[in-house]
C-alpha cells in the first residue's frame, strides 16, 4: 500500500508513520520537518499556510491521510486565520484535488474530527455521529468551530472516491506534546513539582493513539461505506480519576487540594463521550491498550528509545 501522510511529527502523524513502517507500507510524508520517530520512503517539505497543494506526489498514493491541523493546544495561541486555514480550507482543498486526480478505484481519503464538536454538554450519554453533526451547543473556541465546519463538509459531500472522516476522542501516546495532561503529570511527578488542575470533574474518553491506524486500515480493507465514523475511546474517566490513577501508580497518595485552582475555557464541556457502535458493527477491532499499560512507553521515550 502506498500512503501519503500530511503532517510529520504530531501525535497522530507519528502513530501513522510508525504503523506504516511496521506494515512495510510505502510512505511519503509531507510537512515542515522530517519525521523524528519513524522513517519514510520520500519526504517533501510542505508549508500548508503558503505552499501550493497542486503537487502530483500528493495524489499518487493509494491512501491520503490528513493528520495536520491547528488550535488543538490552547497554549500555542494559533490565530483564527491559521486555524481555519489548516482545519477547514486545506483539508477540503486536498479532498477535492484528490478526487480530481484519482482515476480508477482503490484510493481512499482520510481526515479527522473531534468530539469537542459536541460543545457544552452536561448530559451523561454517548453521542452518535448524527448527534454530533446536529449539535448546536455552544463551543468555547475557534478550534471547535473549525472542526464542526469540516465535519459538516464531509456529511454533505458525495464523490465516487472513498473517504472516511473519523471523529476522535482524547488521544494520548508517548510522542504527544509535553504540555498535555499525561506527560505534564508524569514530568511533575518525576521532578517533584507542585501540581495544579481544574476541578477535574470533566468526563472524557481516552484512546491510545496507536489504535487509530489499525482501525483505519481495517476500515479500508473491509471497504466500509464512505462517511463519518466515531472512534470510541475504550476508557472513560474524569480528569480527577485519571490524575489520581497515575499518582497511585507511582505510590503517591493524591492530595485533593490540587484540584480547582485552574480555570479553563472548555469547562462548559462537562461530559464528552462518543458512541462508536456504527463503526464497531463494521470492523473487528478491539482496543486493548490502557493508560496504565503504556506509561512505560512515556518513560522510554524520554530516554530516547
Amino acid at each position: 500500500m502506498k500512503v501519503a501522510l500530511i503532517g510529520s511529527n504530531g501525535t497522530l502523524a507519528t502513530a501513522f508513520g510508525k504503523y506504516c513502517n511496521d506494515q512495510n507500507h510505502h510512505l511519503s510524508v509531507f510537512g515542515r520537518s522530517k519525521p523524528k520517530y519513524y522513517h519514510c520512503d520520500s519526504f517533501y517539505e510542505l508549508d500548508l499556510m503558503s505552499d501550493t497543494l497542486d503537487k502530483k506526489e500528493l495524489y499518487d498514493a493509494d491512501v491520503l491521510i490528513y493528520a495536520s491541523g491547528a488550535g488543538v493546544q490552547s497554549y500555542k495561541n494559533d490565530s483564527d486565520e491559521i486555524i481555519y486555514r489548516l482545519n477547514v480550507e486545506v483539508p477540503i482543498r486536498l479532498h477535492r484535488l484528490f478526487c480530481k486526480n484519482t482515476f480508477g478505484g482503490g484510493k481512499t481519503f482520510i481526515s479527522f474530527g473531534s468530539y469537542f464538536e459536541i460543545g457544552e454538554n452536561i448530559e451523561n450519554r454517548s453521542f452518535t455521529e448524527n448527534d454530533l453533526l446536529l449539535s448546536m451547543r455552544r463551543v468555547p473556541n475557534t478550534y471547535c468551530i473549525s472542526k464542526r465546519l469540516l465535519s459538516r463538509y464531509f456529511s454533505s459531500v458525495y464523490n465516487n472516491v472513498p473517504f472516511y472522516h473519523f471523529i476522535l476522542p482524547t488521544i494520548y501516546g508517548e510522542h504527544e506534546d509535553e504540555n498535555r495532561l499525561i506527560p505534564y503529570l508524569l514530568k511533575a511527578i518525576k521532578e517533584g513539582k507542585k501540581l495544579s488542575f481544574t476541578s477535574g470533574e470533566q468526563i472524557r474518553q481516552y484512546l491510545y493513539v496507536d489504535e487509530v491506524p489499525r482501525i483505519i486500515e481495517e476500515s479500508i480493507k473491509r471497504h466500509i461505506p464512505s462517511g463519518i465514523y466515531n472512534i470510541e475511546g475504550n476508557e472513560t474517566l474524569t480528569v480527577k480519576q485519571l490524575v489520581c490513577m497515575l499518582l497511585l501508580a507511582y505510590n503517591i497518595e493524591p492530595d485533593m487540594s490540587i484540584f480547582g485552582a485552574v480555570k479553563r475555557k472548555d469547562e462548559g464541556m462537562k461530559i464528552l463521550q462518543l458512541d462508536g457502535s456504527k463503526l464497531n458493527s463494521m470492523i473487528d477491532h478491539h482496543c486493548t491498550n490502557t493508560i496504565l499499560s503504556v506509561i512505560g512507553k512515556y518513560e522510554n521515550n524520554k530516554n530516547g528509545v
Side-chain angles (χ1 to χ4, degrees):
M1 183 186 292
K2 293 175 63 177
V3 177
L5 176 63
I6 300 177
S8 48
N9 288 304
T11 306
L12 192 56
T14 298
F16 276 109
K18 292 168 58 183
Y19 181 80
C20 287
N21 289 173
D22 292 342
Q23 301 299 313
N24 294 316
H25 294 325
H26 184 280
L27 178 63
S28 297
V29 174
F30 301 80
R32 289 185 297 179
S33 56
K34 291 183 177 180
K36 297 177 182 177
Y37 301 107
Y38 60 94
H39 70 265
C40 58
D41 297 280
S42 303
F43 173 76
Y44 301 91
E45 190 169 337
L46 179 66
D47 186 336
L48 294 170
M49 288 300 297
S50 57
D51 293 345
T52 179
L53 299 178
D54 292 311
K55 297 177 180 291
K56 69 178 184 64
E57 296 87 359
L58 274 168
Y59 311 107
D60 287 342
D62 302 312
V63 180
L64 176 58
I65 302 169
Y66 186 71
S68 188
V72 182
Q73 306 299 333
S74 58
Y75 63 86
K76 289 186 177 180
N77 295 315
D78 292 323
S79 69
D80 289 356
E81 178 187 6
I82 291 173
I83 293 172
Y84 285 124
R85 167 74 176 171
L86 298 185
N87 293 357
V88 186
E89 182 182 345
V90 168
I92 290 177
R93 173 75 172 153
L94 281 167
H95 176 251
R96 292 173 65 85
L97 287 170
F98 187 68
C99 294
K100 180 181 177 181
N101 287 278
T102 294
F103 306 98
K107 297 210 172 197
T108 309
F109 184 90
I110 305 293
S111 58
F112 299 95
S114 166
Y115 70 173
F116 283 96
E117 296 169 46
I118 292 170
E120 295 187 354
N121 175 59
I122 59 172
E123 294 182 71
N124 189 14
R125 67 182 180 92
S126 296
F127 281 64
T128 66
E129 292 82 357
N130 282 344
D131 290 336
L132 180 140
L133 288 167
L134 295 174
S135 174
M136 298 185 69
R137 293 166 173 80
R138 188 170 63 177
V139 291
N141 53 42
T142 304
Y143 169 76
C144 298
I145 298 172
S146 69
K147 300 305 283 186
R148 274 184 173 178
L149 290 171
L150 184 62
S151 292
R152 280 154 176 74
Y153 166 79
F154 281 109
S155 71
S156 305
V157 72
Y158 175 79
N159 195 283
N160 290 329
V161 179
F163 73 87
Y164 303 132
H165 183 67
F166 292 99
I167 308 297
L168 299 177
T170 297
I171 56 173
Y172 64 91
E174 60 271 22
H175 298 296
E176 64 181 312
D177 190 284
E178 64 179 8
N179 292 291
R180 296 191 68 187
L181 178 58
I182 295 175
Y184 159 77
L185 178 56
L186 295 180
K187 182 179 179 181
I189 291 173
K190 184 177 181 179
E191 297 178 355
K193 291 184 177 180
K194 183 179 180 180
L195 297 170
S196 183
F197 300 97
T198 64
S199 66
E201 300 301 327
Q202 308 98 308
I203 295 175
R204 301 287 185 261
Q205 282 184 339
Y206 294 91
L207 180 72
Y208 183 49
V209 69
D210 283 11
E211 303 278 7
V212 179
R214 298 187 184 101
I215 290 170
I216 290 174
E217 178 153 36
E218 183 166 350
S219 299
I220 293 170
K221 287 181 176 179
R222 288 180 177 261
H223 303 288
I224 68 173
S226 293
I228 296 176
Y229 294 92
N230 290 340
I231 300 182
E232 182 178 332
N234 64 319
E235 287 184 280
T236 301
L237 301 163
T238 66
V239 173
K240 183 180 289 186
Q241 286 173 326
L242 171 57
V243 171
C244 291
M245 180 178 71
L246 291 180
L247 288 172
L248 289 170
Y250 284 85
N251 298 313
I252 300 172
E253 189 64 31
D255 177 359
M256 294 300 109
S257 68
I258 64 178
F259 298 102
V262 178
K263 297 293 183 182
R264 286 176 58 93
K265 292 182 179 179
D266 63 359
E267 285 190 346
M269 295 190 281
K270 299 291 186 184
I271 305 175
L272 298 180
Q273 299 175 109
L274 293 173
D275 179 344
S277 57
K278 175 182 171 183
L279 179 62
N280 293 340
S281 69
M282 298 181 182
I283 65 173
D284 185 24
H285 179 88
H286 303 283
C287 300
T288 57
N289 291 286
T290 64
I291 294 170
L292 288 181
S293 74
V294 301
I295 288 303
K297 294 185 178 182
Y298 282 79
E299 295 294 334
N300 290 338
N301 182 50
K302 292 299 180 184
N303 294 327
V305 177

